[in-house]
Amino acid sequence: MTHAPQVPGRVALVLAGGAARGAYEVGVLQYIVRDVARAVGRAIRFDVICGTSVGAINACAMAAHADDPVAGADLLEKQWTSLRLQRVVRPSPRELLALMGDLVGRARSDPRPGDQRRGGLIDPRGVEEIVKTAIAFDKIPQHLASGALTALTVSTTDVATGKTVVFVQRAGGGVPGWSRDPSIQVRAATIGPDHALASAAIPMIFPAVRIDDAFYCDGGLRQNIPLSPARRLGAEGLVVVNPRYIGTPKPLLAQENVKSYPGPLFLLGKALNALLLDRIDNDIDRLNRINEILEAGTRRWGATFVDELNAGLAERARVAPLQPLRVVHVRASEDIGRMAGDYVRSKPFNDSTTGMIARTLRRISEWEGEGEADLVSYVLFDGPFAARLIELGRRDAKARHQELCAFFASSASS
């Protein structure tokens, strides 16, 4: 029988992408920092915090409250549940005109030196205002200096090259040794609103963001669940929160989709799902296999096995040391696309939400089909819907209560 490795003190919080689905992460966080903390008899803090896409915004908020994660989670709940669709999801007239120009063959102008945003059909000012006013980015360096936080990372995609760029802010500055993968670049940074907004800029929906001399967009295109940054920064235990639902396909729904060929908006929603799909299950399975190998080697050859193995690897190649790494993965237990479709077709939504955007989302949900509303779920930045996702996150974390308690209890005792 294989025993789970004990978790030393350095624990990472890893937050996935998903645009408006990111409210789910807040419920999971609240349950951990309140209920799990109460059960294990101590405050729960995260040494390393890594986020991609909307998870980067949530990660920055938690990093700004690294000394008081309960306050950070409560702030996120307040911000998410106070969202109003008409304020956050507003069309960008400039980009709509540019799109019309594209359709008739008119060339776009190059970005002007002062342009900080580029592309995207939704005006980003509503989201920008919330991020800039609600998150105290100036607190992050203080927490790094005090030891309340070890590192924060935000993953983005460089628009020009298509490479993943991981911005790292950590105690002492600089970046540690990283992967030799040429498609990933790592840069030390003082992370601010632009980094978070760039990471969350879903192509075609929100505009790319200029940082220094380049434009960046959603980091989830290549790294939707940033396990690698957490490992590279020395985390020995990971709590991964993921709003992505993986369920059993429903035969009747699949037959309906075949009988009536899906429309372009249905396909766009599925394309976003595919773009933001991370190979998380494969990654975690690989980590578990490494754990089993290291444990078996330690049982067979003694406590020095892992150190000697890493010394041998270091002589042959420049690779990161192997170490036991325990992972708790909390994933959405319900299809958030289906939840979004049910919500925008519900009487409460129709009674409380008016205007062009509300009508458009209702129509899109009808076009996507009664059982599917993936595209809608990515842009449904609406407080009451966010509250439903937060509650789902709490329920899913509660269902993993024993596993979470064992994880944090072992981290305290190591």
Side-chain angles (χ1 to χ4, degrees):
M1 178 178 177
T2 300
H3 298 282
Q6 293 297 298
V7 183
R10 184 167 291 186
V11 174
L13 172 65
V14 179
L15 299 177
R21 301 180 180 204
Y24 170 86
E25 298 172 349
V26 179
V28 177
L29 289 172
Q30 282 192 318
Y31 188 87
I32 290 173
V33 299
R34 287 184 178 277
D35 297 81
V36 175
R38 187 180 307 114
V40 299
R42 66 177 180 89
I44 287 175
R45 296 182 180 177
F46 300 99
D47 303 284
V48 177
I49 302 179
C50 304
T52 290
S53 191
V54 73
I57 295 177
N58 289 340
C60 288
M62 293 301 291
H65 288 83
D67 61 332
D68 189 355
V70 173
D74 288 349
L75 169 71
L76 284 171
E77 181 190 30
K78 178 182 177 182
Q79 294 299 323
W80 276 98
T81 57
S82 64
L83 291 176
R84 293 297 173 261
L85 192 63
Q86 297 91 331
R87 177 187 174 194
V88 178
V89 184
R90 297 179 295 188
S92 172
R94 173 184 172 183
E95 292 303 326
L96 287 172
L97 288 173
L99 177 61
M100 293 174 63
D102 290 344
L103 294 175
V104 300
R106 187 172 66 235
R108 286 198 179 207
S109 61
D110 291 332
R112 297 186 296 270
D115 282 350
Q116 294 301 114
R117 308 288 184 268
R118 190 73 175 178
L121 297 179
I122 293 180
D123 187 330
R125 287 178 293 180
V127 175
E128 286 180 14
E129 180 184 352
I130 295 170
V131 170
K132 291 180 177 179
T133 59
I135 301 177
F137 286 91
D138 60 324
K139 298 286 188 182
I140 296 173
Q142 298 176 27
H143 297 322
L144 290 168
S146 71
L149 180 68
T150 300
L152 168 68
T153 76
V154 167
S155 298
T156 66
T157 301
D158 186 321
V159 172
T161 66
K163 294 182 177 181
T164 295
V165 177
V166 181
F167 291 99
V168 178
Q169 185 173 0
R170 68 171 185 156
V175 296
W178 216 266
S179 168
R180 292 173 293 177
D181 185 343
S183 68
I184 299 176
Q185 296 180 350
V186 185
R187 297 178 188 169
T190 299
I191 292 173
D194 285 345
H195 299 88
L197 291 165
S199 184
I202 298 177
M204 300 181 293
I205 297 179
F206 287 105
V209 178
R210 184 196 292 270
I211 299 174
D212 297 326
D213 296 325
F215 281 93
Y216 298 88
C217 67
D218 199 317
L221 298 182
R222 294 181 62 91
Q223 193 181 81
N224 194 45
I225 304 178
L227 293 184
S228 178
R231 291 177 54 239
R232 298 287 173 180
L233 289 162
E236 296 155 299
L238 309 181
V239 176
V240 181
V241 188
N242 181 9
R244 172 78 172 179
Y245 168 77
I246 302 294
T248 304
K250 295 179 172 54
L252 289 178
L253 181 59
Q255 291 173 13
E256 291 171 2
N257 289 340
V258 170
K259 289 179 181 178
S260 58
Y261 182 77
L265 295 176
F266 175 93
L267 295 177
L268 179 56
K270 293 302 180 187
L272 285 174
N273 277 349
L275 284 173
L276 300 178
L277 176 62
D278 210 293
R279 298 176 60 186
I280 182 66
D281 293 303
N282 290 339
D283 290 342
I284 291 177
D285 182 64
R286 183 165 59 251
L287 292 177
N288 287 334
R289 288 178 181 272
I290 292 173
N291 287 339
E292 292 172 359
I293 292 170
L294 297 180
E295 290 173 21
T298 299
R299 288 196 302 270
R300 178 66 178 82
W301 286 289
T304 62
F305 169 76
V306 175
D307 291 337
E308 292 179 3
L309 175 63
N310 284 323
L313 290 172
E315 292 175 359
R316 296 178 59 85
R318 184 171 172 265
V319 296
L322 294 177
Q323 62 182 12
L325 187 64
R326 188 175 179 183
V327 182
V328 178
H329 182 201
V330 183
R331 163 184 275 160
S333 63
E334 295 185 28
D335 187 337
I336 293 178
R338 180 181 290 273
M339 291 175 64
D342 292 342
Y343 176 70
V344 298
R345 291 187 289 268
S346 70
K347 188 175 186 301
F349 180 79
N350 286 298
D351 289 345
S352 63
T353 311
T354 59
M356 182 187 71
I357 292 298
R359 292 194 298 272
T360 300
L361 290 182
R362 282 193 291 269
R363 181 59 59 88
I364 291 174
S365 74
E366 294 167 0
W367 289 338
E368 286 195 271
E370 188 170 343
E372 307 268 353
D374 291 310
L375 177 59
V376 170
S377 72
Y378 285 108
V379 296
L380 192 53
F381 290 93
D382 183 74
F385 181 66
R388 297 186 182 195
L389 297 188
I390 291 170
E391 182 54 34
L392 174 62
R394 290 196 191 102
R395 292 201 304 269
D396 288 348
K398 184 177 182 179
R400 310 291 291 277
H401 180 83
Q402 295 301 326
E403 183 181 2
L404 286 164
C405 288
F407 177 93
F408 285 105
S410 63
S411 71
S413 62
S414 298

